[in-house]
Structure formats: C-alpha cells, structure tokens
C-alpha cells in the first residue's frame, strides 16, 4: 500500500534576548524619550518594553534584565497521514499456496468492492457454474466482484467438495481450509472487501456453503449465505452440531420439481424442510412458520425468533438448477424466480436481510 507524506511547516522560533531589551530601555531612560521598535520585532515585545520602562527603577531594571534567561516560543504544525485504499489489480486466475485455484471476475473495479463467492456443484466446474448461475454480468453492472472457487476432482469427472455428505460429494479434503486460503488470495488483489462477501453455492456447493458456516475458521466471515438447491444429508448436519453461525443471514432456495435433491427427500438426501428446521433449531430459532406465497411460483418459510434472517424459499417451477438463470443444468428450464436480482440487491443494501423481502 502507498502512503502520502504530508508537508510539514518549518518551526518558527522567536527569541527575545533580554540584554538587547535592557539596552534599549536604558537608552530611552537616559535620553528621556521613547524608542520605536524595528518592524522586524513583534508588537508584543514593544508593549512589554514600554511597560517595564515606565514601572521599574533603572538600577534594579539593569540587574533584572541582564540576569533574565532567553525566552523562546515554539510554533509547530502537526499532520495526520491517511493511507489510500489498495488499488484493485484484477487477476482472473488465482492459485493458493496449497495449489487450489479460484477464478475472479473483477474487471472495472478500482478498489475493495463487495463480492459474491459462487461454489459449483458435484461434478461441476467454475466455468460451468459461471455460465449457469450467470452472476458475472450483474456483478460487473453493479460494481461487485464475483469469485468461482475450484473444487477437487471426482472419480466420475468434474470437481466437487467435501461437505461431509455421503452422496454427491468428495471426502477426505479440508475444503474449509481451501476456501480460507482462497479468500486470502482474493483479498490480496485489492479488489474485494472481505467484510462484504456473500457465499453461495449450488447442490454440493450449497452443502459447502452450510459447511463453511458450521466451521469456526469461516464462521462470521460472510455477510450472508445463500444455499441453492442444496444437497444435505445427516453427514452434513453432523459437521454442524450447535456450532453453526447464528449471526449470518442464512437463506435456502429449493425447487419443488427437483429430482436430484428432492423437496420431499430422496437419493440419500434429507427433505429440504427437514434439514432446514434442524439447522434453525441449532441457530437458536423458536420454530419455522408455515409457508407464505411471495410470488405466484414461490413460497417462503421463515424461522422465528432468530438472531439473523433464517428462511427457505421453495420455487414451484424450480428443477435442479439455478433459479431464474438463462441456461439450466442439463437443459433444465430454470423457472421464474429471479434469485440473482435479490442477491445483488441485498448485497448492496446497507444491512443484510432476507431475500424473500427483496
């Protein structure tokens, strides 16, 4: 980072030499007339000279002034240096010390900006989720950086994350540590303000979003968390326990037409409302209210008496793909729920809240 060095004004020293004043006063006393001070001396000194001459006997005045030490006044000017914000250096492909990659879209940004961390699903890729979620364009239009982390290879192709799930996930990988490293690399570009980062992910990436909130290394690091068509089983919840972050808004967006992570459970995964109610309890909520329609195609379930927004939005025309995107996974029709608008609007608001009210 560069720092500005403020100009400092020179220190002025005004020295009054008592012996010179004494000589002036003695001459004035002997001649019976006043003496005019040179223009270079201060008017304060002239006034002091006249007062002393009028009130002090000459014999004692000579002794007093010749033994008076020099009087010095010092004028100083203090300054405060303020470091400028770091300059954004867009770096599309970053690599962490452990060798993990993260794709960063930050073109056109001039300094630390809000950001969205988008985590791909099982057998997915950063390029794939960037295309399907379609968050890069609205991010650029609103001064938001968008980052796409790289998972690790699966046995069936593509990449995945270790969420603790027994299906649709990798295992034996510390992906929380990997995300922590990625955030450090992202911050080093000067393009991202880590106090304004939304973490979101699709399917296995939705499970990874929850795993991040359940680990003390990342808990509290995000402005909000958005789980999209998440793949959640008991293994994911076992990694949470009561350690789930209670202060970060948590939003789940699920599809009623989803056949991979079914709304009512299946394929080894929990029903969406089941795991949501259990997480709400872990977050200290009192319970989950009955669903209320917020659009003709979306119902909203809200956990009550929580420390932060805890909601699940069920999209009636939503299959297993990113809601509202122009291109669905495997040619699925994405449905009508405009998730991206709500994520962007909430990120740009003064305080994070619920997506269902945006």
């Amino acid at each position: 980072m560069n720092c500005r060095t403020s100009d400092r004004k020179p220190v002025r020293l005004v020295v009054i030499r008592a012996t010179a004043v004494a000589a002036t006063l003695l001459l004035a006393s002997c001649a019976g007339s006043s003496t005019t001070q040179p223009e270079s001396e201060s008017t304060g000194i002239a006034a002091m000279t006249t007062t002393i001459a009028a009130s002090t006997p000459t014999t004692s005045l000579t002794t007093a002034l010749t033994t008076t030490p020099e009087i010095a006044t010092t004028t100083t000017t203090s300054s405060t240096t303020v470091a400028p914000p770091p300059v954004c250096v867009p770096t599309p492909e970053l690599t962490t010390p452990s060798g993990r990659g993260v794709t960063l879209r930050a073109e056109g940004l001039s300094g630390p900006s809000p950001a969205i961390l988008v985590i791909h699903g099982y057998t997915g890729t950063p390029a794939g989720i960037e295309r399907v979620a379609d968050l890069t364009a609205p991010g650029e239009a609103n001064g938001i950086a968008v980052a796409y982390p790289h998972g690790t290879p699966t046995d069936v192709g593509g990449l995945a994350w270790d969420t603790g799930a027994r299906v649709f996930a990798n295992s034996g990988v510390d992906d929380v540590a990997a995300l922590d490293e990625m955030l450090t690399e992202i911050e080093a570009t000067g393009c991202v303000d880590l106090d304004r980062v939304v973490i979101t992910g699709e399917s296995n990436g939705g499970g990874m979003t929850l795993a991040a909130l359940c680990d003390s290394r990342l808990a509290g690091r995000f402005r909000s968390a958005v789980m999209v068509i998440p793949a959640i089983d008991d293994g994911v919840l076992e990694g949470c326990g009561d350690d789930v972050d209670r202060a970060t808004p948590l939003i789940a967006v699920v599809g009623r037409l989803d056949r991979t992570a079914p709304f009512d459970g299946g394929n080894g995964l929990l029903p969406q409302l089941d795991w949501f109610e259990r997480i709400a309890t872990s977050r200290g909520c009192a319970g989950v209210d009955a669903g209320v329609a917020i659009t003709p195609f979306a119902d909203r379930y809200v956990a009550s008496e929580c420390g932060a927004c805890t909601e699940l939005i069920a999209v009636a025309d939503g299959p297993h793909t990113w809601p509202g995107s122009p291109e669905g996974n495997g040619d699925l029709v994405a449905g009508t729920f405009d998730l991206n608008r709500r994520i962007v609007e909430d990120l740009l608001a003064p305080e994070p809240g619920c997506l269902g009210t945006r």
Side-chain angles (χ1 to χ4, degrees), residues 31-303:
S33 61
S34 62
T35 307
T36 302
Q37 295 293 331
E39 291 181 359
S40 60
E41 293 183 20
S42 68
T43 56
I45 297 174
M48 182 183 71
T49 301
T50 304
T51 302
I52 296 175
S55 61
T56 307
T58 303
T59 54
S60 60
L61 176 65
T62 304
T63 304
L65 291 178
T66 54
T67 58
T68 301
E70 294 182 348
I71 303 172
T73 61
T74 304
T75 302
T76 60
T77 302
S78 62
S79 62
T80 302
T81 59
V82 179
V87 176
C88 170
V89 181
T91 307
E93 297 298 333
L94 302 169
T95 304
T96 69
S98 63
R100 297 287 290 274
V102 55
T103 300
L104 178 64
R105 305 301 185 202
E107 291 297 329
L109 301 180
S110 58
S113 303
I116 306 172
L117 192 69
V118 188
I119 305 177
H120 63 74
Y122 184 66
T123 71
T125 63
I129 193 63
E130 180 176 18
R131 183 183 68 255
V132 171
D134 194 39
L135 273 163
T136 298
E140 290 178 348
N142 290 279
I144 298 171
V146 185
Y148 302 93
H150 296 228
T152 54
T154 75
D155 294 335
V156 293
L159 307 173
W161 304 89
D162 182 1
T163 63
R166 299 174 178 87
V167 293
F168 306 133
N170 274 351
S171 61
V173 183
D174 190 348
D175 279 320
V176 170
L179 289 178
D180 194 13
E181 279 192 331
M182 292 176 193
L183 289 171
T184 299
E185 293 300 315
I186 290 169
E187 184 181 34
T189 67
C191 300
V192 172
D193 178 357
L194 290 191
D195 289 330
R196 295 184 292 165
V197 177
V198 171
I199 182 172
T200 184
E202 176 188 87
S203 192
N204 174 224
M208 192 64 224
T209 299
L210 181 59
L213 259 63
C214 292
D215 193 296
S216 60
R217 291 170 291 176
L218 290 181
R221 296 278 295 276
F222 302 104
R223 177 183 165 97
S224 62
V226 182
M227 303 167 61
V228 182
I229 53 171
I232 307 295
D233 69 359
D234 285 319
V236 181
L237 298 185
E238 287 167 4
C240 285
D242 294 328
D243 296 330
V244 63
D245 183 340
R246 298 187 177 195
T248 300
L250 175 63
I251 299 98
V253 182
V254 303
R256 291 190 183 273
L257 302 181
D258 195 330
R259 295 185 178 181
T260 303
F263 182 80
D264 293 322
N267 298 329
L269 301 174
L270 294 169
Q272 299 288 4
L273 277 176
D274 186 349
W275 72 258
F276 178 73
E277 290 174 346
R278 290 165 62 179
I279 285 296
T281 300
S282 296
R283 284 166 63 86
C285 306
V288 177
D289 299 337
V292 175
I294 56 174
T295 78
F297 295 95
D299 296 328
R300 178 178 182 239
Y301 299 81
V302 181

Side-chain angles (χ1 to χ4, degrees), residues 298-314:
D299 296 328
R300 178 178 182 239
Y301 299 81
V302 181
S304 59
E305 300 181 28
C306 306
C309 175
T310 306
E311 66 176 354
L312 181 144
I313 298 171

